[in-house]
Amino acid sequence: AKREGRNIIKIFQPVMLYSRQLRSQMAAELRDAIASTELVLHYQPVVELATNRILGVEVLVRWQHPVRGLIPPDTFIPLAEEIGVIHDLDRWVMSTSLRQLARWKKELALDDDFQLRVNLSAVELKQLDLVDHVRALLRELDLPASSLVVEITETAIVTRGEVEMYSLLSLKQLGVGIEIDDFGTGYSSISYLRELPVSMVKVDRSLLTELNTRPGQLEFVAAILQLITAAGLEAVFEGIETRQQADQLRAMRCNSGQGFYFCKPLPADEMGALLGATRYL
Ligand code: C2E
Ligand code: CA
Ligand code: CA
Ligand code: CA
């Protein structure tokens, strides 16, 4: 009960910042936004630290509100979960970004190992037809399954529901990469690193913020990296904001990372221009 209580607080907090009236107005607007063109996708590179080569991009949704401006996902994703439209939102993001990837692959001659990383909500993992949907999209767009990685927060999978496990196993069998997102924030259990069908772990950016100020933090981060590697998984560090952090992670032989130091999330046209110009940051 304590766990559930904490989850609920975590999920609903940002929404509570709004008054009830504003919330119900925004809920109605969000329903329309998904059907219209108000949601936009930004893309942020994930980089191989040894070479600064762009390995792929993470898809990050924004809401371009006609009056309120660009609204960040931390604000409206919880609202979308609460009012039950997160499923539509996640499906829209998945198909729109895969179509974008297919276009980039044609126009920019991206190689087959370029990876699109899509965030999936806990709700989406519970959908029995998720795998069929993904398989059909990949087939339609003629994309290899390995060009897709789904990012799932650890809170969404530690519960190990039957449908969630079915989704993970079938996605893995299909060849889609599965990554635990925000590692180190939720109810991390070391054992599931070895038990769940995942291939990558993205370490939450909060672990990097005190990297050079808190005593022992560098060693702590190095130990986490070793833990992930020892479990046979690939580690990705997010929230790399300085050259020093990138150098330190590189010295630890961390494979890949992402953050403002390399590139902030960009709209599709800007990301296309970047990818057309170079694969190195
Ligand atoms: P996340 O998956 O952990 O995404 C990383 C967040 O860190 C993004 O915020 C990104 O813009 C930000 N970030 C990237 N580099 C840096 C850095 O160097 N420093 C700092 N301080 N921040 C950095 P964003 O775009 O606001 O997304 C927030 C969260 O919203 C995401 O966290 C994810 O949980 C959720 N989200 C975003 N797009 C989607 C989506 O399409 N579907 C679902 N279900 N959730 C999404
Ligand atoms: Ca993510
Ligand atoms: Ca994350
Ligand atoms: Ca996050």
Side-chain angles (χ1 to χ4, degrees), residues 45-47 51-54 259 261-263 274 278-281:
V46 174
V47 168
T51 60
N52 283 10
R53 180 180 161 81
I54 301 174
Y261 168 66
F262 294 107
C263 187
L274 176 69
T278 181
R279 287 294 300 276
Y280 294 86
L281 288 176

Side-chain angles (χ1 to χ4, degrees), residues 19-20 29 129 133 166 174 189 208:
S19 71
R20 186 184 293 178
E29 290 171 354
D129 67 339
H133 178 73
Y166 162 80
L174 184 62
S189 149
L208 287 191

Side-chain angles (χ1 to χ4, degrees), residues 10-15 17-18 61-62 71-79 182 205:
K10 198 174 157 191
I11 291 170
F12 289 100
Q13 219 166 22
V15 181
L17 296 173
Y18 293 112
V61 69
R62 279 95 182 81
I71 306 177
D74 280 338
T75 305
F76 66 84
I77 295 279
L79 183 63
D182 297 353
R205 67 170 181 269

Side-chain angles (χ1 to χ4, degrees), residues 58 60 119 151 179 181-182 202 238:
E58 177 177 5
L60 296 158
N119 292 288
E151 302 195 354
E179 180 188 76
D181 201 357
D182 297 353
K202 191 181 278 184
E238 67 177 5

